[in-house]
Amino acid sequence: FAEGPILKGKGSWILSYRVSFLDIVADLVGSAIGLDAIPKYKNYQGKITYDITKNHTLIINGIGGDEKITIEDEDTGYSRGADNVRTKSNQYAVGATLNSRFGTIGMSNLTVSQTSNYWDDYIYDDNNKPYHIGKTTEIERALKYDVTLLPVKRFEWNFGAVVKQITYDNDEWVRADTI
């Protein structure tokens, strides 16, 4: 975690990063904790705010995370000894907003953003032959403009528009099941 000012108080920034250490603990104490499958994950976030002028502020935000787990040779009631799994995923969202203020009568926000989700799964038998392979990616890109006007007390107008591009790619393979 870290934070600080930008250019003599014209803005600020903040960053955070976290990571799991469960895998290190499991390596130190061995199987005494009873976990065969140890997840590994990390996440991060950040924000920058900068006052371009008295009436214009730029805000940049980002957040994301990664995770993965491998489950092999588990002999529990859940797995029935049938599957081994390697899976990983990551996701993030990032955006920038220009906030413009119109004195006391209103403001506008112009925002550009992108979000992404990715999954990669590999399920296999004891001979390392796959049962299922899956890779999926979702991405959304957006451009948004909204206005809030306060022409008189107790009366507010809100309007705006958004344009989005959404992509989805799914590649799945499943081994045929024979009797």
Side-chain angles (χ1 to χ4, degrees):
F1 173 79
E3 63 180 314
I6 297 176
L7 296 176
K8 300 179 183 177
K10 289 192 63 104
S12 61
W13 60 272
I14 187 167
L15 296 172
S16 173
Y17 180 81
R18 298 184 315 166
V19 63
S20 71
F21 294 107
L22 188 56
D23 56 327
I24 295 170
V25 172
D27 287 344
L28 292 174
V29 296
S31 60
I33 60 174
L35 292 175
D36 292 328
I38 308 296
K40 296 180 181 180
Y41 55 91
K42 60 185 171 187
N43 58 53
Y44 40 88
Q45 59 186 356
K47 180 178 181 180
I48 298 171
T49 302
Y50 181 72
D51 295 324
I52 300 169
T53 68
K54 180 178 90 169
N55 292 317
H56 296 87
T57 301
L58 178 64
I59 304 162
I60 302 170
N61 284 303
I63 188 168
D66 297 294
E67 53 199 27
K68 61 182 169 180
I69 190 168
T70 299
I71 303 170
E72 291 181 322
D73 303 322
E74 270 203 8
D75 192 19
T76 65
Y78 297 112
S79 70
R80 300 179 315 265
D83 296 333
N84 297 306
V85 176
R86 282 194 304 259
T87 185
K88 60 183 173 180
S89 67
N90 62 59
Q91 52 281 325
Y92 70 85
V94 64
T97 298
L98 177 63
N99 173 266
S100 300
R101 294 166 295 285
F102 313 131
T104 60
I105 65 164
M107 66 173 203
S108 70
N109 290 304
L110 176 63
T111 302
V112 59
S113 64
Q114 178 170 304
T115 62
S116 174
N117 294 291
Y118 173 75
W119 299 273
D120 183 351
D121 302 314
Y122 184 71
I123 303 170
Y124 53 99
D125 63 20
D126 290 333
N127 297 318
N128 206 27
K129 290 186 178 180
Y131 288 117
H132 173 262
I133 300 171
K135 294 181 187 292
T136 304
T137 304
E138 297 174 349
I139 298 174
E140 177 184 296
R141 295 177 182 96
L143 177 64
K144 178 181 176 186
Y145 183 70
D146 61 79
V147 176
T148 300
L149 295 176
L150 305 162
V152 294
K153 288 184 179 183
R154 300 184 195 190
F155 187 71
E156 179 177 303
W157 286 347
N158 294 292
F159 58 92
V162 63
V163 177
K164 291 184 179 183
Q165 176 197 34
I166 300 172
T167 60
Y168 178 77
D169 182 31
N170 186 33
D171 186 9
E172 299 282 335
W173 176 87
V174 178
R175 183 170 71 193
D177 188 18
T178 59
I179 298 179

